[in-house]
Amino acid sequence: MADFLKDLNEPQQLAVKTTQGPVMVIAGAGSGKTRVLTYRVAWLLNQGVPPFNILALTFTNKASREMRERIASLIDPAKAKGLWMGTFHSIFARILRAEASYLDYPSHFTIYDTADSKRVIKKIVKEQNLDDKTYATGYVLNRISNAKNNLISAADYNEDPEIQSHDLQSRKPKLGLIYSLYQQKLHRASAMDFDDLLFNTNLLLRDFPDILYKYQQRFDYILVDEYQDTNFSQYLIVKKLAANNENLCVVGDDAQSIYAFRGANIQNILNFKSDYPDHKVFKLEQNYRSTQHIVSAANSLIVHNKNQIHKTVWTSNGPGEKIQVMKTTNEGEEASWVSGRIFELLQQNQLPYSAFAVLYRTNAQSRAMEEAMRRLNIPYRIFGSVSFYQRREVKDVLSYFRLIINPRDEDAFLRIVNFPARGIGATTVDKLVAAAGDTGKSLWEIAGDPSGNGVAVNSGIARKLAEFVTMIKSFSARLYKLTAFEMGELVINKSGIRKFYFEDESPESINRRENIEELLSGLQDFVSSPEEGETEVPLRTLDEFMQDIALLTDADTKKEKDDDSNKVSLMTIHAAKGLEFPFVFITGVEENLFPSQLSINSQSELEEERRLFYVALTRAMTRATVTYAETRFRYGNFNFCEPSRFIDELDPEYLDHLTTRLPGKKKPAKSESFAESRKNFRKITESTGTATSKPVAAEEDNSGFAILDPGVLKMGMEIKHQRFGLGTVVGIEGSGQNAKATVTFAGAGNKQLLLKFARLKIMG
């Protein structure tokens, strides 16, 4: 046994060493699944398996990068050189580039991201004079994506009577036409979208048996991470590639399958045993992340799902604190309570802001939370905002890069043909587009010879088009002679982009040029970083860089700048998958919000919502807090809310119900059970239709420390704090719920205290 296996527990070791035949590793939350995948690859390499015979598929570049780094630390890095390890999309893009000619594509095809695809669809809807509300871009793209993930081509879509009937009943009979035109535009631009990378790989393996045989022979061992998140298209590719010897290892957790809306099919992992009757199953049930109360509460929740692979997750960590369940009056009070609690914990424990995460079911819930954070000057960051590579100025530069690599890329051409402005106006561009449509040629070909393709332009416009084409050709000629960084600098300087953004001193332009400089820094990092096992850095070109960033996933773009990392994280639960935080607040846990109103009439959808809540709970390492409101303003309406059934499904043994403090009470009201809370909710809504609950002005305990009314404190007053000791009030600001005092403590310096939480004693 290799020495490095001593780091694994017994089930992990068995999963690593069982290399022959189909293996399924069911990995509970925080149980070290990435470690098992990593050590399994290292074990295979250590047993003499050539790296190019191993295929490891992940869902994020971050996961594959971490695996590579760990493998390099376990064995000789040179042994790992040649591994086929990466995301589904990056590996299949690599195969498609090598075999592109079989599908009538050039090897340098462009990969369109979601924003690119939406622009193409929007253009088609406009060209066809269709209502852009009926044919909303997001809906149309989602419909096309679902079709591709189920291997339904545009031709199949238009010939299927059931699909056509559905679209007709939905009053969207032109969806099939849009799908066909969309694919035509992609092919004419030598472009594929993300779904095409899977769809076309399936076509390649289906229609060309020699290609299928070639890759079956190459990949003796196949490993798949997060198997519960695979869709039908990914499932078929893996099944075909593994058919030769079935040395397939899949790792995942059915209890964390939360991406059905993206096409993920939980049946892939549930049906593994029927797909591979000779399979072996290993269950990783020890959680290394969370406390016993968090793990036990999560277990008590997920047992309510019928469609699952049973396991008992446990931990040797300490019991920790119970799950706190907090009822508030409305979303504003909920946000204030959460931000106030974070403020209090920060002061009591001297924690970094990054130790906290606030999770919610929908992005819209962030508004109230952001306002509450700002009132307390708590720095926060929101995951899911515009990613770096989607910012306008960055897309401008990237469009130059794309056109240099693939002149047929029409989306890139249209974006930069007159940027920065060079006198090629909309009328000229419309003529080029019309000619391309009439002749079937690319915009690049038309622009290179407008008169020869029937485009009437004056000599001035013809000259400007020629200058643009010549500039792009001059860049393309150096594509494989210069590094990606050198090409980036050349393009930014010679295209006029630097002059355009760097002469304007407005705050917006300064921010945009900082982003361009950051892009150049990224190019420099790319060309300076050796590949795994390399001692010297080879010439890394612009086309390699573009493929890397084209295949970035949401998880890969979560990385923040160092100076931006110490902030409270606000995000949807879907965005939190794969992350962990010491303190987690799960907000808005109410019926019709979580679970979503759209899911409560379907068992499969309700079970996915329950899995989503399970994921939220298991992000917490030290403490998890669940909050819900009695009323919430949604979709322009004031709604009374009922606490989520998921709270009721948590074993009360692991819960600590809190209540807001009522006026006139010296001590907190007795904790309510969930059933009592639901009963009280009904009483409120049935009788008065109102809910009142306010914090008490002053609450005292036997030690003499109390939560003081802000009006009691005066500048210069001597007070005592339970943690920081004696201090002097040097500042008072805000009022009511938001009142804060700045106090200078002899041993702790200046501290800002939120008075509705700070327990103080007035001295003298």
Side-chain angles (χ1 to χ4, degrees):
M1 181 175 71
D3 288 344
F4 56 74
L5 291 193
K6 69 180 185 302
D7 298 331
L8 305 180
N9 62 34
E10 186 177 349
Q12 289 173 333
Q13 287 189 20
L14 289 171
V16 164
K17 293 190 291 182
T18 307
T19 58
Q20 301 303 304
V23 170
M24 179 166 64
V25 181
I26 300 300
S31 64
K33 70 175 180 60
T34 304
R35 170 174 283 204
V36 166
L37 278 172
T38 302
Y39 279 66
R40 187 177 171 93
V41 173
W43 173 264
L44 288 168
L45 293 170
N46 214 44
Q47 300 301 301
V49 176
F52 47 80
N53 291 142
I54 300 172
L55 171 63
L57 297 168
T58 68
F59 272 86
T60 68
N61 292 290
K62 178 184 175 184
S64 60
R65 185 169 58 248
E66 288 177 354
M67 285 174 62
R68 281 186 183 276
E69 290 170 356
R70 290 193 195 181
I71 291 167
S73 70
L74 294 172
I75 60 171
D76 179 3
K79 282 188 176 181
K81 194 176 184 320
L83 277 172
W84 282 66
M85 178 181 288
T87 65
F88 282 89
H89 293 91
S90 65
I91 292 295
F92 299 156
R94 181 177 172 183
I95 291 174
L96 287 170
R97 290 199 190 282
E99 317 296 347
S101 60
Y102 285 87
L103 298 175
D104 191 28
Y105 268 91
S107 62
H108 58 263
F109 61 82
T110 299
I111 300 172
Y112 276 12
D113 62 22
T114 301
D116 300 325
S117 296
K118 284 184 175 180
R119 275 194 298 275
V120 175
I121 289 171
K122 191 173 182 179
K123 195 182 306 177
I124 292 170
V125 169
K126 184 177 180 181
E127 290 170 352
Q128 295 299 313
N129 296 314
L130 299 173
D131 182 0
D132 58 5
K133 292 184 176 61
T134 301
Y135 294 94
T137 307
Y139 177 87
V140 174
L141 182 58
N142 187 58
R143 186 78 171 153
I144 293 172
S145 177
N146 285 337
K148 289 184 181 180
N149 286 332
N150 285 285
L151 303 184
I152 299 170
S153 68
D156 295 334
Y157 190 102
N158 283 289
E159 292 171 5
D160 189 304
E162 189 174 337
I163 293 175
Q164 294 303 302
S165 174
H166 173 276
D167 288 351
L168 193 60
Q169 290 176 11
S170 302
R171 298 183 181 179
K172 297 177 178 65
K174 299 293 186 181
L175 280 172
L177 172 64
I178 297 172
Y179 186 3
S180 296
L181 293 173
Y182 174 68
Q183 288 307 115
Q184 289 171 22
K185 283 184 179 288
L186 287 184
H187 193 264
R188 192 170 71 184
S190 296
M192 296 186 195
D193 64 18
F194 262 40
D195 297 313
D196 284 327
L197 297 177
L198 304 180
F199 185 91
N200 288 336
T201 301
N202 268 297
L203 285 187
L204 190 68
L205 301 181
R206 184 195 71 184
D207 296 346
F208 302 96
D210 54 331
I211 298 297
L212 173 60
Y213 180 75
K214 171 183 173 180
Y215 288 101
Q216 284 177 335
Q217 294 300 111
R218 173 168 294 172
F219 302 133
D220 291 332
Y221 296 91
I222 300 175
L223 301 87
V224 183
D225 190 16
E226 304 284 14
Y227 192 64
Q228 79 280 352
D229 292 334
T230 53
N231 60 32
F232 179 63
S233 185
Q234 291 162 327
Y235 162 81
L236 276 187
I237 295 170
V238 170
K239 192 164 176 49
K240 288 173 184 174
L241 292 176
N244 191 45
N245 53 35
E246 293 192 344
N247 289 334
L248 171 65
C249 175
V250 302
V251 179
D253 181 9
D254 58 293
Q256 297 186 67
S257 178
I258 60 172
Y259 294 118
F261 68 97
R262 292 183 186 171
N265 187 352
I266 192 175
Q267 295 303 320
N268 293 345
I269 194 167
L270 296 178
N271 293 341
F272 188 85
K273 58 186 179 183
S274 56
D275 286 337
Y276 302 95
D278 298 328
H279 76 291
K280 294 182 177 66
V281 177
F282 299 98
K283 295 182 180 180
L284 309 184
E285 297 174 306
Q286 182 175 1
N287 179 299
Y288 292 95
R289 175 189 299 153
S290 307
T291 63
Q292 290 176 15
H293 278 129
I294 293 171
V295 169
S296 298
N299 285 344
S300 71
L301 169 83
I302 205 64
V303 294
H304 290 85
N305 272 10
K306 296 179 180 179
N307 209 10
Q308 64 172 299
I309 299 170
H310 288 281
K311 58 186 173 299
T312 304
V313 181
W314 61 278
T315 183
S316 60
N317 296 335
E321 298 187 38
K322 292 185 176 183
I323 312 297
Q324 293 188 332
V325 181
M326 182 65 187
K327 177 185 74 173
T328 62
T329 303
N330 52 49
E331 71 265 37
E333 185 181 274
E334 177 186 52
S336 294
W337 186 87
V338 169
S339 57
R341 187 72 181 123
I342 291 173
F343 189 92
E344 182 182 29
L345 289 167
L346 284 163
Q347 289 193 324
Q348 289 177 351
N349 302 286
Q350 301 298 300
L351 297 164
Y353 293 106
S354 57
F356 298 87
V358 180
L359 309 183
Y360 33 77
R361 180 64 182 84
T362 67
N363 278 308
Q365 291 170 254
S366 74
R367 181 200 56 78
M369 201 61 63
E370 287 185 74
E371 291 177 0
M373 294 284 174
R374 285 197 294 267
R375 283 197 295 269
L376 294 182
N377 295 319
I378 296 175
Y380 64 88
R381 55 177 174 171
I382 297 181
F383 288 103
S385 57
V386 178
S387 74
F388 178 78
Y389 293 108
Q390 292 299 329
R391 292 168 186 167
R392 192 186 84 186
E393 61 280 6
V394 176
K395 290 288 278 188
D396 290 337
V397 178
L398 296 183
S399 293
Y400 271 94
F401 294 173
R402 283 168 44 176
L403 196 64
I404 291 164
I405 296 164
N406 173 20
R408 295 176 64 87
D409 189 334
E410 295 193 357
D411 186 65
F413 179 95
L414 290 169
R415 188 177 185 106
I416 65 170
V417 67
N418 196 40
F419 178 80
R422 51 178 59 89
I424 303 172
T427 301
T428 301
V429 172
D430 287 344
K431 290 179 180 178
L432 298 177
V433 170
D438 292 340
T439 63
K441 294 181 179 180
S442 69
L443 287 171
W444 175 256
E445 292 172 294
I446 304 296
D449 183 16
S451 59
N453 287 287
V455 179
V457 293
N458 61 42
S459 59
I461 295 297
R463 187 186 72 255
K464 290 169 183 174
L465 284 170
E467 288 172 352
F468 174 71
V469 169
T470 300
M471 177 180 67
I472 299 298
K473 283 182 176 179
S474 71
F475 292 148
S476 298
R478 304 184 195 186
L479 181 59
Y480 300 108
K481 297 176 182 177
L482 301 179
T483 67
F485 173 72
E486 291 166 337
M487 279 296 298
E489 274 202 316
L490 180 69
V491 170
I492 289 168
N493 288 328
K494 296 295 185 183
S495 66
I497 288 177
R498 181 176 292 277
K499 182 178 180 182
F500 180 82
Y501 282 122
F502 284 64
E503 285 187 347
D504 187 351
E505 289 300 321
S506 68
E508 184 182 52
S509 284
I510 291 172
N511 184 58
R512 293 189 187 284
R513 70 195 195 202
E514 285 175 350
N515 287 332
I516 291 173
E517 293 292 358
E518 183 64 26
L519 176 60
L520 285 172
S521 296
L523 285 162
Q524 183 64 63
D525 289 343
F526 177 77
V527 302
S528 303
S529 304
E531 293 279 5
E532 201 66 53
E534 293 277 8
T535 55
E536 295 183 7
V537 183
L539 178 69
R540 306 193 72 183
T541 53
L542 194 62
D543 58 323
E544 296 176 76
F545 174 79
M546 288 301 291
Q547 168 142 321
D548 269 17
I549 65 168
L551 295 169
L552 287 175
T553 66
D554 292 343
D556 297 314
T557 56
K558 288 176 185 174
K559 183 180 178 182
E560 301 283 339
K561 296 178 183 178
D562 292 340
D563 61 355
D564 200 39
S565 59
N566 189 24
K567 294 184 177 181
V568 175
S569 296
L570 309 183
M571 67 183 84
T572 64
I573 300 164
H574 283 102
K577 178 79 162 27
L579 302 177
E580 61 184 26
F581 302 89
F583 295 85
V584 170
F585 293 82
I586 309 166
T587 61
V589 187
E590 301 143 20
E591 286 294 298
N592 298 325
L593 178 56
F594 196 10
S596 163
Q597 186 173 12
L598 300 175
S599 69
I600 57 178
N601 295 318
S602 161
Q603 180 180 323
S604 62
E605 290 177 351
L606 182 59
E607 291 200 351
E608 172 137 341
E609 291 283 301
R610 188 176 288 111
R611 293 193 295 269
L612 190 59
F613 190 49
Y614 176 87
V615 166
L617 272 179
T618 54
R619 297 313 92 201
M621 302 165 67
T622 304
R623 183 185 297 174
T625 302
V626 174
T627 66
Y628 64 94
E630 294 176 312
T631 60
R632 190 174 296 272
F633 201 75
R634 295 184 70 203
Y635 308 120
N637 296 310
F638 185 77
N639 296 290
F640 289 99
C641 308
E642 187 172 351
S644 170
R645 69 190 71 192
F646 297 152
I647 300 176
D648 198 22
E649 292 172 354
L650 295 170
D651 190 325
E653 179 184 350
Y654 310 115
L655 304 183
D656 179 13
H657 286 268
L658 307 177
T659 59
T660 46
R661 296 167 184 139
L662 301 173
K665 296 283 185 182
K666 288 287 185 181
K667 296 181 180 178
K670 183 179 179 182
S671 294
E672 289 182 292
S673 69
F674 173 78
E676 289 170 337
S677 178
R678 188 182 289 253
K679 183 178 179 182
N680 288 342
F681 158 79
R682 287 180 177 142
K683 283 182 181 177
I684 291 169
T685 55
E686 288 169 6
S687 58
T688 65
T690 62
T692 59
S693 182
K694 298 178 182 177
V696 66
E699 178 197 331
E700 188 173 339
D701 60 21
N702 294 332
S703 66
F705 289 95
I707 295 173
L708 302 177
D709 188 299
V712 172
L713 292 182
K714 306 294 181 187
M715 293 284 287
M717 183 177 281
E718 296 292 320
I719 58 97
K720 188 173 184 180
H721 186 276
Q722 282 181 308
R723 177 180 175 84
F724 303 123
L726 291 173
T728 302
V729 178
V730 296
I732 301 172
E733 60 181 281
S735 61
Q737 294 279 309
N738 303 315
K740 291 179 283 187
T742 302
V743 182
T744 300
F745 293 99
N750 282 356
K751 299 289 181 184
Q752 195 173 59
L753 309 177
L754 186 66
L755 294 180
K756 71 175 180 179
F757 292 117
R759 305 185 71 81
L760 305 172
K761 183 191 297 185
I762 297 174
M763 306 304 291

